[in-house]
Amino acid sequence: MSTIPTSSPAMSSVQPLRGILLVLCAGILWGTTGTAQSFSDGTLSPYWVGALRLGVASLFFLAYAGATNGLPHLGRQLAALNWRHAIWAGACVATYNLTFFAGVKATGVAVGTALTIGSGPIWAGLLQLMGGARPGLGWWTGTLLAVGGGVLLVFGRGDALQVDLLGIALCLTSGLTYAIYTLLNKKLVQHSEPAVSTLAVFTVGALLALPAAAFWAGALQITTTGWLVVSFLGIASTGIAYLLFSTGLRSISAATGVSLALMEPVTAFLLALVVVGERPGALAYAGLAALLAGLAIVIRAETR
């Protein structure tokens, strides 16, 4: 527990600010996913990409938690974990990974990404509202502005649009299960170390996602290039990113955490400009401005 006195406004703003910065850094790492996958040779099924990165992330969390805690202490911490929350959170991790890739396959990158990243923060706000917590007007204003900006940013990149009702449902499910995961993760990290809780959650997620990938995509066929891409995704854009995200959640609300994750499309947009050489239209830049303005409002609301 923190020993910072909550009666001092200057001191009490330190912890939320630290949490905000950690989650923004996580969003930056998540934003590298698309660029990293562009270096793949295309032989690996998206379902296997989603499942394997969970497996690699689980190994990363095991190595990190074991090195920082020691295996005997890690075992005691895992035994004391709220496994009901961890299992449900792991099921959500597996679900939002698989439904996102399936939804994007059905609807296209633009529609799928916009629906998933746009619905996640709104789902989180509604779930917190149903649970008795009421995100303030500042959070709603900033989140809706950021979501709208994110949608414009995605559509403004010129990807082809596809409308598929099942794909839309899958993407909305992905956003919902991501929001539920974040709410459960918030409860877990309040009573355990982030490395321990993420190890448990992502191990459960991997154990569920790997057989599902084999069922939907068939036997694993992967090249050396595929393993390099999956290793980067598992360690950097999943392992390190979710460790930062989970640590940040200790000092900010779950709804704010989901909203700040919209830093992901900002990073993906900038990398597409610099690395991939995309040339998006004015709509994308307008979306970028609106998204950043919305995040600024959310940050202000959280630190007040």
Side-chain angles (χ1 to χ4, degrees):
M1 297 293 291
S2 173
T3 58
I4 297 176
T6 57
S7 59
S8 169
M11 293 291 284
S12 63
S13 65
V14 173
Q15 289 285 53
L17 183 59
R18 177 176 180 270
I20 287 166
L21 291 173
L22 289 174
V23 172
L24 288 175
C25 288
I28 290 172
L29 287 173
W30 288 328
T32 65
T33 301
T35 303
Q37 284 185 267
S38 71
F39 291 100
S40 174
D41 52 20
T43 60
L44 186 61
S45 163
Y47 297 105
W48 276 115
V49 173
L52 287 174
R53 72 174 188 168
L54 295 184
V56 173
S58 299
L59 295 176
F60 166 81
F61 292 132
L62 177 61
Y64 180 84
T68 55
N69 294 278
L71 292 179
H73 185 51
L74 174 60
R76 290 191 293 270
Q77 289 179 306
L78 287 171
L81 196 67
N82 186 330
W83 277 96
R84 183 170 67 89
H85 286 162
I87 290 172
W88 278 110
C92 286
V93 164
T95 302
Y96 79 66
N97 267 275
L98 295 174
T99 53
F100 172 71
F101 285 115
V104 166
K105 183 178 180 180
T107 63
V109 175
V111 174
T113 305
L115 284 172
T116 303
I117 67 171
S119 66
I122 296 173
W123 283 124
L126 293 175
L127 288 170
Q128 285 209 173
L129 193 61
M130 292 169 59
R134 297 187 176 184
L137 179 61
W139 181 87
W140 279 108
T141 301
T143 294
L144 292 176
L145 180 60
V147 167
V151 171
L152 291 178
L153 182 61
V154 171
F155 285 133
R157 293 176 64 179
D159 292 328
L161 302 184
Q162 298 173 225
V163 177
D164 182 280
L165 293 180
L166 177 59
I168 290 172
L170 287 170
C171 292
L172 292 175
T173 300
S174 180
L176 173 60
T177 49
Y178 173 69
I180 296 173
Y181 153 75
T182 303
L183 292 170
L184 291 170
N185 194 27
K186 170 73 174 177
K187 294 180 180 180
L188 285 169
V189 297
Q190 286 178 321
H191 304 288
S192 64
E193 291 186 18
V196 176
S197 61
T198 49
L199 168 61
V201 168
F202 277 79
T203 299
V204 171
L207 291 175
L208 293 173
L210 288 167
F215 176 78
W216 280 319
L220 175 62
Q221 296 180 355
I222 185 170
T223 63
T224 302
T225 301
W227 276 119
L228 290 174
V229 171
V230 165
S231 297
F232 174 83
L233 294 176
I235 295 172
S237 61
T238 304
I240 297 174
Y242 277 97
L243 187 59
L244 293 172
F245 182 68
S246 298
T247 304
L249 279 181
R250 293 182 120 180
S251 54
I252 62 175
S253 71
T256 294
V258 179
S259 296
L260 294 180
L262 287 168
M263 191 66 187
E264 175 183 357
V266 173
T267 306
F269 175 77
L270 296 176
L271 286 174
L273 288 177
V274 177
V275 179
V276 183
E278 285 188 13
R279 291 297 177 264
L283 187 65
Y285 288 99
L288 176 65
L291 198 162
L292 292 174
L295 291 181
I297 295 172
V298 170
I299 292 170
R300 177 174 172 79
E302 182 69 28
T303 54
R304 290 183 63 178

